[in-house]
Structure formats: structure tokens, C-alpha cells
Amino acid sequence: MNEKIKKDSIYKFIKVVYSGGNNLGSPSESALISQVVLEDQEGTVYFVEPNPIGVKFAKGEISFKEYKKLQKRNTSHGIAIFFGIIVFFSGLMFMLMKYFA
């Protein structure tokens, strides 16, 4: 994803930030890319995650405010789905315990 951002971005590509805060030189074998740093013509620096929403921002299809809103919504949906799965399996476990006990 970071290569796509680097290639298609309307912003100046500054650097890649790896997990664990390592952003110098080559990453370690286990390091994952956590953010891509971009800069606009006015000098404003943007930290963007390498995901489809980040690519949309880098291409200029959405503003940074919209990017942050979509990221927040995406995170909220992920948390809701996680807890929904927990509730489902807890309910299933309870029903199976009642049925077989």
C-alpha cells in the first residue's frame, strides 16, 4: 500500500514510519509499516496509515478531515464487530451448556 501511496500521491513523500517507531534506513525483519509521512506545498505534514482510506487521501480524493473521520468510523466498526462476535460466541456457549448439562 505504501508504494501505491508513494506512486499516486499528490503530496511530497517524506518517509515511512515502521512499527516500534523505527523510521531510519531499512526496517527489521519483523517491522511493519505503520504510517506514511506526506507533506503538502505549504509544508503541512500528514501522517497517513497505508490502507485504502490513506490512498484516497494521498490521491486528493478526500480531505484530511474526511480521512480522519473515515479512520475513526472504520475503527468503531471494527470494535463493534469484535464485541458482536464475543457476544455471539458467549451466547452460543451458554446455550450449549444449558442444552448438554
Side-chain angles (χ1 to χ4, degrees):
M1 253 325 148
N2 71 320
E3 292 299 324
K4 190 168 182 73
I5 289 175
K6 190 175 187 177
K7 185 181 85 171
D8 297 337
S9 179
I10 63 170
Y11 301 102
K12 180 181 173 188
F13 184 85
I14 303 296
K15 65 181 175 182
V16 173
V17 178
Y18 296 96
S19 61
N22 179 17
N23 59 5
L24 302 173
S26 61
S28 65
E29 289 294 321
S30 62
L32 299 174
I33 296 172
S34 62
Q35 293 179 328
V36 176
V37 182
L38 303 171
E39 183 179 20
D40 65 7
Q41 293 176 350
E42 287 85 37
T44 306
V45 177
Y46 300 103
F47 289 84
V48 179
E49 291 184 18
N51 58 26
I53 300 169
V55 172
K56 280 186 173 184
F57 169 73
K59 287 181 177 180
E61 295 174 4
I62 59 174
S63 68
F64 192 68
K65 186 176 181 180
E66 290 173 298
Y67 165 77
K68 294 302 270 181
K69 188 170 98 175
L70 289 172
Q71 282 291 96
K72 187 176 181 181
R73 184 183 306 156
N74 200 15
T75 302
S76 300
H77 284 264
I79 292 170
I81 289 170
F82 172 74
F83 282 115
I85 291 170
I86 297 293
V87 167
F88 172 75
F89 280 112
S90 297
L92 182 64
M93 182 180 70
F94 181 75
M95 286 176 39
L96 290 173
M97 283 178 25
K98 286 291 189 178
Y99 182 73
F100 288 112

